Amino acid sequence: METASIVHQVKLPSGLPTDEDFEVTELPLPAVADGFVAVATTIISVDPYMRPRMGAWKGAKTPPTVFGGGSIGKVTESKAEGFSEGDLVIGMWGWADRAVCKAENIRKLGPHALAVPSSALNLYGSNGLTAYMGVEQIMKPKEGETVYVSGGAGSVGAVVGMLTKRRQNNITLIGSAGSASKLEYMLSIGYDEVFNYKEETVPAALKRLAPKGIDCYFDNVGGDTALAAVHKMNSGGRIAVCGAIHVYNAKNMYRKIGSKILFGSPFEIGLRKTIMMDFPLSIGKAYGGPQPEKTISLSGGRKITWKAFTVGAFYVSKEGREAEIKIAEWVKDGSLPNAGREDVVKGSLKDLPRTFARMLSGGNNGKQVLELV
């Protein structure tokens, strides 16, 4: 019987994940039935959202559950219409070197992604579409407004910045990151003002760079950064709550109540502490999750709206495919310069945990992927 190697979680992490939190195990591969496709993995996505999912681990399972998310692979056998041996496909079979997937759960790479297949996990995948949702559907920056993006050099934040500037509405775009090289990168893709949060506090930087306040905030970081941004929001401001990498590795991120792992969006928890509002906690396996837009009141009569979101449903929708095509057109016409920067690690499944930890600690430059060699 053929087998696949998978990475699975073996313990609940305390702080930054380590090699000891994972194991590589061999599992038997099922036969390829009608409507299914066998794939050999070539590229694996490594993303911040995977860290809070680790908090839902409730002990070892038999057979173990593969960890991770998006991967790209080459079809080795197909019994599904529309897929042939050699096709490059993308799906969510996770951190595994091989998989047998139901055809409806994978799709071929679009022609715009074939030259650089990893871009299907990045600019033309969940990262690009997450940025598109935040800019085009939630923040919708207007003429003359000020936009702040935390984690502005990351795989999502960089595209947020470029999508914002392509609107050409005299928008002031501010970004933050944690190294000089990342500040330089943000400036190269159109950010007007940047600052290093390790050298200047976020409240001080926003006071200096946004003296008239912020109209839109794209939150990749959470924690104190998000709270500082909230305090600078102008009335009518919009916040897109995407991630909270600042607190993903906090040892008190999760609270166990009975058999459930309970964790609130760090953004919501921070707001409760700051403006004494009673927001419900989110219960689930992923941070944030799809939530309705909410309006809150701040000091001075200011009202702002915010929405926590994930890209899942949009990613597989007709609208998501249309957005992907739009992004490809904008890259082609130069509207998204330097788009899709990637940090590619070449290695084996055993290298994934340390690549994951490196990304979570800010050591990557762009979208983090691992290319199996």
Side-chain angles (χ1 to χ4, degrees), residues 122 210 330:
N122 185 13
W330 293 335

Side-chain angles (χ1 to χ4, degrees), residues 61-102:
K61 295 181 180 180
T62 304
T65 301
V66 63
F67 187 77
S71 296
I72 291 172
K74 184 174 290 188
V75 174
T76 57
E77 183 182 353
S78 173
K79 290 187 178 179
E81 184 177 352
F83 294 93
S84 302
E85 185 176 341
D87 285 344
L88 285 175
V89 296
I90 183 172
M92 298 292 287
W93 62 85
W95 291 4
D97 67 352
R98 302 175 69 192
V100 173
C101 307
K102 199 170 185 178

Side-chain angles (χ1 to χ4, degrees), residues 16-271:
L16 197 68
T18 68
D19 287 354
E20 287 70 34
D21 298 324
F22 300 93
E23 284 184 1
V24 177
T25 299
E26 295 284 322
L27 290 180
L29 270 179
V32 180
D34 289 343
F36 284 76
V37 171
V39 297
T41 307
T42 55
I43 303 171
I44 295 174
S45 185
V46 181
D47 299 293
Y49 76 83
M50 297 172 181
R51 174 61 181 86
R53 284 185 174 181
M54 295 184 75
W57 186 79
K58 297 178 181 179
K61 295 181 180 180
T62 304
T65 301
V66 63
F67 187 77
S71 296
I72 291 172
K74 184 174 290 188
V75 174
T76 57
E77 183 182 353
S78 173
K79 290 187 178 179
E81 184 177 352
F83 294 93
S84 302
E85 185 176 341
D87 285 344
L88 285 175
V89 296
I90 183 172
M92 298 292 287
W93 62 85
W95 291 4
D97 67 352
R98 302 175 69 192
V100 173
C101 307
K102 199 170 185 178
E104 66 186 41
N105 294 332
I106 63 174
R107 62 181 178 84
K108 292 182 185 179
L109 267 61
H112 42 269
L114 290 176
V116 184
S118 54
S119 64
L121 293 166
N122 185 13
L123 186 63
Y124 304 123
S126 59
N127 296 111
L129 295 182
T130 296
Y132 182 95
M133 286 183 70
V135 175
E136 303 294 332
Q137 298 183 355
I138 299 175
M139 297 194 305
K140 301 176 184 178
K142 302 174 185 176
E143 175 76 29
E145 289 191 325
T146 296
V147 177
Y148 169 45
V149 185
S150 58
S155 56
V156 173
V159 184
V160 170
M162 288 183 282
L163 289 176
T164 297
K165 292 302 283 188
R166 74 166 297 278
R167 298 172 77 93
Q168 298 179 347
N169 286 337
N170 192 31
I171 293 168
T172 299
L173 179 63
I174 301 171
S176 58
S179 72
S181 63
K182 291 181 179 181
L183 299 190
E184 291 175 5
Y185 174 61
M186 285 191 289
L187 291 172
S188 76
I189 59 175
Y191 277 83
D192 299 297
E193 302 286 355
V194 298
F195 68 94
N196 188 332
Y197 66 86
K198 295 179 181 179
E199 298 177 353
E200 183 178 18
T201 67
V202 179
L206 293 180
K207 182 179 180 180
R208 176 173 61 85
L209 299 174
K212 296 182 180 179
I214 299 167
D215 302 289
C216 298
Y217 171 51
F218 193 98
D219 183 25
N220 282 310
V221 174
D224 292 340
T225 298
L227 300 184
V230 168
H231 283 301
K232 287 293 292 184
M233 294 298 295
N234 292 324
S235 189
R238 289 87 64 201
I239 300 176
V241 183
C242 173
I245 196 168
H246 176 75
V247 294
Y248 282 164
N249 297 310
K251 294 183 178 181
N252 61 351
M253 175 76 179
Y254 310 99
R255 289 188 291 124
K256 189 170 183 179
I257 299 179
S259 62
K260 293 183 178 180
I261 299 292
L262 183 74
F263 54 100
S265 145
F267 182 84
E268 294 177 276
I269 293 171
L271 284 176

